[in-house]
Every structure is written in structure tokens, then in C-alpha cells.
Amino acid sequence: AVTRGGRALEYASLELKSDREIVLAAVTQYGHALEYARQGLKNDREIVLFAVKRDGYALQYLSVELKNDRDIVLAAVTQYGH
């Protein structure tokens, strides 16, 4: 379900919200799915990059550390500008 609609992550179990592969599939479809990922995955650079490239507004769900990452913020701003 997550590969067809990343929004489904909102309704997934905590175990699945902690599964890197599931979360990556979700954010690839829907950047805002990052909101529902477990905290540790919000600090995963690859997952975060997929999320902000899909939807720049996903920037709000990142860990504090990654909000200071120039490349990630640039990817979010670039996506939002298109």
C-alpha cells in the first residue's frame, strides 16, 4: 500500500514506521510521509533527501541536525521553486 500511496504510512504500525525500506518507499511517493516516520529515520540523510526532493515542505519534519545540512535545504528550496 505504501508504494502506491505514501500517505498510508500515517496508518501503519510503529514497527513499519521504523522500517527503513517502508519509509523510503513512502517518502518517494509522498514527501510529507516523513512526518509519520520514527524519529531515527528523520535523521537518515538518504530518506530525508528523497522526501524533500519530492516535496520541499517535508523540510519541517527533519531532525535538527539535518535542518542544518546545506545540501538538504538546497534540495528542498529547489524543489519548492519549481
Side-chain angles (χ1 to χ4, degrees):
V2 171
T3 58
R4 284 191 257 143
R7 293 176 191 210
L9 188 63
E10 178 179 0
Y11 307 103
S13 69
L14 291 178
E15 179 181 342
L16 293 178
K17 290 177 182 181
S18 299
D19 185 297
R20 187 178 190 280
E21 185 177 343
I22 297 286
V23 172
L24 187 57
V27 301
T28 300
Q29 295 294 313
Y30 178 64
H32 275 269
L34 188 62
E35 175 181 8
Y36 307 108
R38 298 295 289 175
Q39 194 60 42
L41 293 177
K42 293 179 183 182
N43 199 38
D44 182 306
R45 195 166 194 281
E46 182 182 16
I47 288 174
V48 165
L49 269 172
F50 272 102
V52 299
K53 286 180 179 179
R54 182 74 176 154
D55 185 339
Y57 282 118
L59 191 64
Q60 64 188 314
Y61 306 118
L62 276 56
S63 68
V64 174
E65 295 83 14
L66 291 183
K67 283 183 180 178
N68 289 318
D69 184 304
R70 184 182 189 283
D71 293 333
I72 290 174
V73 174
L74 184 60
V77 171
T78 302
Q79 186 285 326
Y80 181 69
H82 289 205

